[in-house]
């Protein structure tokens, strides 16, 4: 809580995490220190210090849509709330923010994530139909039994229902969505899909760098700054002034890879687009 006079109201920064509230809080609070913002960190349903074990499929994250909505409802009904909430998180801390965006809560002003993703089934459990061993290790760390790994299994996920959820979320969604990812990030597909699904209405901003996820890296490319005119919005500024983002505007800024050993080669620079995929001509080698 900010150290201000009694009875004052503030915007809230929320993180809902499966990685323990303390590890998230140590990372997030440094970013919002001295900005008169309230910070709340919550263990997910059935995780850490939260109740609800066994009442949701923790391998799917579908419940995070409604759980995020309910948490925001609680926040805006507190006497210290000014009715404005942003959700944040990096990697596993950010999954719930991605999913809460689909709930279209009227008081969710902004979502800000870094190398994270949305539905765990689509963007972590499987890669083009093949199970990802890494996801099963992550589930086991959360105490979830994984008897089907590495055996073949039948997909139980309802893709048609999820497509309907996305379509509904794209209608009259006023939340500003901000995501940073990388071409080597294991969740990059999630950010690209969100841009493709939601950017037409505006308020969607994605940056794709030539980076990986944590210790997972690929071939290095010459570091280049993102032109200031293309910089992603700052979620704390959006919390303070929703008009700081131009209505109807969306933008993806992406690093176009080139020959990393030749400074004269084409590429190795940032580009910006309002549509994804960018207009292109298929060319055979």
């Amino acid at each position: 809580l900010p150290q201000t006079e009694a009875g004052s109201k503030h915007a809230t920064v929320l993180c809902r995490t499966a990685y323990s509230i303390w590890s998230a809080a140590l990372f997030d609070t440094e970013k919002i220190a001295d900005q008169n913002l309230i910070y709340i960190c919550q263990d997910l349903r059935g995780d850490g210090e939260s109740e609800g074990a066994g009442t949701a499929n923790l391998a799917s994250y579908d419940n995070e849509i409604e759980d995020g909505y309910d948490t925001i409802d609680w926040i805006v009904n507190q006497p210290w709330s000014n009715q404005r909430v942003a959700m944040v998180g990096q990697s596993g801390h950010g999954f719930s923010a991605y999913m809460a965006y689909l709930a279209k809560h009227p008081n969710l002003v902004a979502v800000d994530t870094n190398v994270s993703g949305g539905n765990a089934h689509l963007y972590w459990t499987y890669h083009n139909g093949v199970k990802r061993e890494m996801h099963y290790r992550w589930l086991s760390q959360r105490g979830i039994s994984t008897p089907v790994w590495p055996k073949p299994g039948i997909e139980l996920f309802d893709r048609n229902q999820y497509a309907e959820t996305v379509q509904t979320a794209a209608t009259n969604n006023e939340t500003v969505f901000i995501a940073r990812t990388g071409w080597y990030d294991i969740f990059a597909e999630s950010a690209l899909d969100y841009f493709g699904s939601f950017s037409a209405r505006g308020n969607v901003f994605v940056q794709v760098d030539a980076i990986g996820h944590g210790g997972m890296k690929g071939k290095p490319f010459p570091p280049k700054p993102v032109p200031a005119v293309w910089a992603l919005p700052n979620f704390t500024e959006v919390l303070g002034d929703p008009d700081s983002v131009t209505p109807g505007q969306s933008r993806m800024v992406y690093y176009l890879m080139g020959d990393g050993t030749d400074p004269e080669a084409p590429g190795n620079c940032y580009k910006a687009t309002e549509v994804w995929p960018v207009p292109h001509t298929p060319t055979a080698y």
Side-chain angles (χ1 to χ4, degrees):
L1 294 172
Q3 299 300 311
T4 56
E5 64 275 8
S8 60
K9 297 181 182 293
H10 305 275
T12 301
V13 177
L14 168 65
C15 178
R16 305 186 64 249
T17 179
Y19 282 172
S20 118
I21 55 176
W22 305 114
S23 63
L26 288 171
F27 178 82
D28 290 330
T29 49
E30 290 184 359
K31 298 189 294 185
I32 63 170
D34 303 321
Q35 297 190 55
N36 286 331
L37 296 169
I38 290 171
Y39 179 77
I40 293 177
C41 198
Q42 179 186 43
D43 286 320
L44 302 184
R45 183 200 300 220
D47 227 84
E49 299 176 29
S50 288
E51 299 92 349
T55 62
N57 178 8
L58 299 186
S60 169
Y61 271 80
D62 280 353
N63 67 288
E64 292 304 314
I65 301 175
E66 293 184 0
D67 288 358
Y69 193 101
D70 292 346
T71 301
I72 297 169
D73 258 358
W74 180 86
I75 291 172
V76 299
N77 281 292
Q78 302 309 305
W80 36 255
S81 172
N82 74 351
Q83 311 297 298
R84 300 178 65 75
V85 180
M87 288 191 69
V88 300
Q90 68 166 350
S91 190
H93 300 304
F95 270 82
S96 295
Y98 258 87
M99 296 303 286
Y101 173 82
L102 303 178
K104 295 195 299 188
H105 196 291
N107 298 97
L108 180 59
V109 176
V111 165
D112 185 279
T113 66
N114 187 35
V115 290
S116 190
N119 187 286
H121 179 94
L122 289 178
Y123 302 114
W124 202 342
T125 305
Y126 288 88
H127 181 71
N128 291 332
V130 179
K131 294 177 183 177
R132 276 180 161 148
E133 183 267 344
M134 185 178 182
H135 177 253
Y136 285 82
R137 283 193 284 124
W138 183 79
L139 290 175
S140 65
Q141 292 171 4
R142 299 183 67 193
I144 301 171
S145 176
T146 57
V148 296
W149 174 261
K151 301 174 184 176
I154 298 173
E155 181 177 65
L156 302 178
F157 185 74
D158 190 336
R159 291 176 179 265
N160 291 331
Q161 180 60 52
Y162 181 75
E164 292 180 12
T165 298
V166 169
Q167 185 175 5
T168 300
T171 304
N172 300 324
N173 193 329
E174 301 300 324
T175 302
V176 175
F177 181 83
I178 306 164
R180 298 166 189 80
T181 185
W183 294 125
Y184 301 123
D185 178 20
I186 56 177
F187 304 131
E189 186 179 12
S190 186
L192 299 179
D193 281 356
Y194 266 50
F195 192 84
S197 297
F198 306 118
S199 61
R201 63 157 186 85
N203 294 349
V204 178
F205 301 90
V206 173
Q207 180 173 317
V208 189
D209 300 312
I211 62 170
H213 190 105
M216 293 172 283
K217 301 177 181 179
K219 179 180 174 62
F221 287 84
K224 297 287 180 67
V226 175
V229 69
W230 294 342
L232 299 187
N234 185 308
F235 77 90
T236 59
E237 293 179 1
V238 177
L239 269 178
D241 178 16
D243 295 330
S244 62
V245 174
T246 303
Q249 182 186 64
S250 290
R251 180 172 61 252
M252 178 187 290
V253 182
Y254 63 96
Y255 189 96
L256 179 63
M257 296 175 174
D259 183 349
T261 65
D262 181 3
E264 302 300 322
N268 293 328
C269 62
Y270 280 96
K271 300 281 188 177
T273 180
E274 296 179 358
V275 296
W276 188 263
V278 295
H280 61 283
T281 302
T283 304
Y285 282 104

